[in-house]
Amino acid sequence: MRKFNEFSDTELVLAFQDGNSYALEALINRYKDKLFSSIQFIVKDKYLAEDLFQETFVRIIDTLRSKRYNEEGKFLPWAMRIAHNLCVDYFRKVKRTPTIVTGDNKDVFDVIVVVNENAEQKIIKKQGYDRMHQMLSALPEEQREVIVLRHFGDMSFKDIAAVTNCSINTALGRMRYGLINLRKMMLEKQVSI
């Protein structure tokens, strides 16, 4: 029998629905870093991101158990949509919007585990992540959100448009302007990542 990491998302979902909890564990491990990073970029608070991350997987598990999942082959965009909606619901609930904070010394990449790196590689990688995090934080929210969903969530522009309630052209435009702004920041600061 194949190992679960060789299974497709659909095969893992079906195995979990047939009662195999290890299939769910494999699915969570496959996408936990992307989901958590995306949530933390939106909410800017590690502890809140952890809560919303857990709530995301509670909703995913409930939907899978009740066999209401019908996004065959599109598990990650579906999970990202759930996470995004929970973030939006949270901000509606507290009647505030996320603020852009630079230099907060919080790194969304703390959850990413990289094996076999020496100390120098870890420092270089952390510095690169810190610079990228600061530059992303300096972008307007709409541009940052599209870049995070596209690059960290591997979502299509069609899915991004659905999640952010805008047209595909608007999502593409936000991505374009976000990348232009990032390039300008990199040139101004003479940064290469």
Side-chain angles (χ1 to χ4, degrees):
M1 182 164 169
R2 294 182 305 172
K3 293 183 178 181
F4 282 121
N5 60 2
E6 297 172 358
F7 279 41
S8 70
D9 293 348
T10 303
E11 290 172 320
L12 289 172
V13 166
L14 293 173
F16 173 68
Q17 289 176 333
D18 287 339
N20 192 324
S21 61
Y22 295 111
L24 177 66
E25 184 179 336
L27 202 53
I28 290 171
N29 287 332
R30 185 174 289 172
Y31 296 118
K32 68 181 178 181
D33 293 337
K34 289 180 180 186
L35 281 167
F36 185 80
S37 295
S38 298
I39 293 168
Q40 190 168 3
F41 265 120
I42 294 170
V43 300
K44 303 279 186 229
D45 181 305
K46 185 175 183 175
Y47 299 109
L48 175 59
E50 288 171 355
D51 290 345
L52 292 171
F53 175 76
Q54 288 177 351
E55 180 63 26
T56 298
F57 273 100
V58 167
R59 297 244 176 124
I60 288 169
I61 292 167
D62 288 345
T63 303
L64 294 178
R65 278 191 181 142
S66 65
K67 301 195 180 194
R68 290 180 287 138
Y69 172 76
N70 59 5
E71 303 285 331
E72 191 169 321
K74 296 183 180 183
F75 180 82
L76 181 60
W78 173 71
M80 292 292 286
R81 201 164 43 248
I82 291 171
H84 181 270
N85 289 341
L86 285 170
C87 292
V88 169
D89 290 347
Y90 169 79
F91 287 115
R92 280 188 189 137
K93 187 175 172 183
V94 296
K95 296 186 191 241
R96 66 178 179 93
T97 58
T99 56
I100 297 173
V101 179
T102 58
D104 61 356
N105 295 325
K106 292 184 182 176
D107 186 1
V108 299
F109 299 100
D110 287 341
V111 298
I112 297 175
V113 178
V114 181
V115 183
N116 297 330
E117 283 187 325
N118 65 32
E120 182 181 4
Q121 290 171 320
K122 288 179 184 178
I123 290 169
I124 291 170
K125 184 171 272 194
K126 175 141 178 43
Q127 289 172 344
Y129 288 153
D130 288 344
R131 284 190 294 250
M132 182 54 74
H133 184 264
Q134 287 176 341
M135 287 187 286
L136 280 170
S137 294
L139 289 175
E141 179 186 346
E142 295 84 11
Q143 293 173 12
R144 181 181 64 245
E145 184 176 45
V146 171
I147 289 172
V148 168
L149 293 173
R150 178 73 176 156
H151 289 287
F152 296 100
D154 289 331
M155 294 179 73
S156 69
F157 284 103
K158 180 180 178 183
D159 292 329
I160 291 170
V163 165
T164 58
N165 288 328
C166 68
S167 70
I168 292 175
N169 287 339
T170 300
L172 287 166
R174 289 175 180 171
M175 176 66 125
R176 179 176 178 267
Y177 288 116
L179 292 175
I180 288 170
N181 288 332
L182 281 175
R183 282 188 197 107
K184 283 181 187 175
M185 283 186 258
M186 290 174 77
L187 288 172
E188 287 171 4
K189 297 178 182 184
Q190 297 181 350
V191 171
S192 65
I193 295 181

